[in-house]
Amino acid sequence: ANAETGKKCIYAPCVNAPTHLVVQRAMFAKQVGAGAVLMLPGITGFDTMRFLAEDPEFGLPIIAHPALLGCHVRSGFSHEALFGVLCRMAGADASIFPNYGGRFGFTKEECLTICRGCSRPMGDYPTISPTPGGGMSIEKIPSMVKEYGDDVMLLIGGNLIGRSPDLRANAEEFLKVMGR
């Protein structure tokens, strides 16, 4: 697809596995050309993600997926700490979180605190990309960019696939709405 379009699309396979297999899967993904990996720290643990992020031979971006993390905000963790700060401290380069107005019950204010956790000054920790998702649509892009700014990854999966059978046209519509 990249060769045909001249654009840069990356493939980010999920390397979730028992801890002893995560690095092996991540290195295989890198070897076969993945541009990033997806990890589920709610399942494999934040320390497994940190271990991979610190491996000098790995060097690909890590996208943290929120599977099984939501229960922690219902039992006391703040949204900012869990989806922003902890993902950042564990080496993620991007943190997916359920955006307000989607399938999950996060509020706009909770989502904005996640963005703050992804970007506020924290010593030597680099900022990471907030990645709102969870029932988003192409129609919601303008409001998401207005709330989160341009330094954000937008996760629009099911709506992009389900709009029509022509995935290319759907992706072109996404890019048009993004002004690209």
Side-chain angles (χ1 to χ4, degrees):
N2 289 340
E4 286 182 28
T5 65
K7 301 202 183 299
K8 174 118 169 102
C9 180
I10 62 167
Y11 178 61
C14 181
V15 296
N16 221 53
T19 300
H20 69 284
L21 297 175
V22 169
V23 173
Q24 178 184 341
R25 285 185 178 188
M27 291 302 188
F28 176 77
K30 179 180 179 177
Q31 181 182 19
V32 297
V37 296
L38 182 71
M39 290 193 71
L40 289 67
I43 297 173
T44 59
F46 284 97
D47 195 52
T48 302
M49 188 164 66
R50 180 210 50 84
F51 183 78
L52 179 61
E54 289 180 355
D55 186 329
E57 293 184 23
F58 180 60
L60 291 180
I62 297 172
I63 303 168
H65 187 282
L68 296 182
L69 290 178
C71 60
H72 297 293
V73 294
R74 301 296 174 227
S75 63
F77 272 91
S78 74
H79 291 75
E80 178 178 1
L82 187 62
F83 298 100
V85 174
L86 285 177
C87 286
R88 203 169 152 190
M89 292 178 74
D93 296 282
S95 178
I96 299 171
F97 61 91
N99 195 36
Y100 70 94
R103 295 190 305 263
F104 303 95
F106 286 17
T107 68
K108 179 177 170 180
E109 294 73 27
E110 290 165 340
C111 292
L112 290 171
T113 69
I114 294 167
C115 291
R116 186 172 60 235
C118 289
S119 63
R120 68 181 169 101
M122 281 181 34
D124 292 334
Y125 287 99
T127 61
I128 66 174
S129 181
T131 309
M136 295 300 97
S137 66
I138 289 177
E139 290 77 21
K140 292 182 181 180
I141 291 173
S143 65
M144 291 183 351
V145 171
K146 180 181 176 190
E147 288 301 329
Y148 303 126
D150 290 328
D151 197 14
V152 65
M153 288 174 51
L154 301 178
L155 182 59
I156 301 174
N159 179 260
L160 191 65
I161 293 168
R163 293 183 84 73
S164 80
D166 188 346
L167 185 56
R168 182 181 184 133
N170 298 345
E172 288 171 351
E173 181 182 1
F174 178 98
L175 291 173
K176 182 179 176 185
V177 171
M178 288 297 299
R180 296 194 166 96

